Amino acid sequence: MGNLFANYYDVAAIIIFGIGVCLLLLNQNMIKKLLGFDLMDAATFIFLTSKGFIGGGNRFAPIIENGITSFSYYSSPIPTGLVLTGIVVGVSGTAFALALIYRLYREYHTLNLDEIMKRIKIEERGMKIDAD
């Protein structure tokens, strides 16, 4: 139990990821599904950031100062770079998904995924009848 509290960033990331999975799988509203995807994205960033942090408070940005070149003096910039890149990709993916959701809403006047699928099937049946 003590180890659980020592890794509270990891636990928080897992809980947030679980909430995102539940939103993604259990809701039919596409905005809520997108929110679940974004929560999963944020949880991944929290997890990567917590793994990239090196405790002790003695680590500095990797800019050589006073001629010190030892790796143990600096923190690793790789996790931070990965998280920043992931944030940019996540935001652009969310913007694209919102644009698609908006177009679906304009076409079908609903955000419910089941209702949209029903209307698509009805349209397909109507096209097959017209083609015959």
Side-chain angles (χ1 to χ4, degrees):
M1 190 67 156
N3 199 16
L4 182 68
F5 294 118
N7 300 323
Y8 55 90
Y9 286 118
D10 299 342
V11 172
I14 291 169
I15 290 171
I16 293 170
F17 193 88
I19 292 169
V21 168
C22 289
L23 280 173
L24 190 64
L25 295 178
L26 300 178
N27 283 304
Q28 292 302 316
N29 186 318
M30 289 191 296
I31 298 291
K32 290 180 182 177
K33 284 184 175 287
L34 184 60
L35 179 66
F37 180 75
D38 286 341
L39 280 175
M40 291 168 53
D41 215 17
T44 305
F45 300 147
I46 291 170
F47 183 76
L48 285 174
T49 303
S50 71
K51 291 301 166 195
F53 176 74
I54 301 172
N58 300 354
R59 303 280 177 128
F60 300 100
I63 300 170
I64 297 177
E65 295 177 349
N66 303 327
I68 301 172
T69 58
S70 172
F71 182 72
S72 62
Y73 185 74
Y74 301 109
S75 63
S76 176
I78 294 174
T80 306
L82 288 173
V83 168
L84 287 174
T85 304
I87 289 171
V88 170
V89 170
V91 167
S92 60
T94 300
F96 183 69
L98 280 173
L100 290 177
I101 290 170
Y102 177 70
R103 293 215 31 186
L104 281 171
Y105 180 76
R106 284 183 54 197
E107 178 74 24
Y108 298 106
H109 304 291
T110 184
L111 293 175
N112 188 320
L113 199 54
D114 287 338
E115 187 66 31
I116 291 173
M117 293 305 293
K118 286 179 190 175
R119 292 180 186 185
I120 289 173
K121 288 179 183 177
I122 289 171
E123 286 178 2
E124 286 177 353
R125 271 192 258 138
M127 289 181 154
K128 287 181 184 176
I129 292 171
D130 292 342
D132 292 337

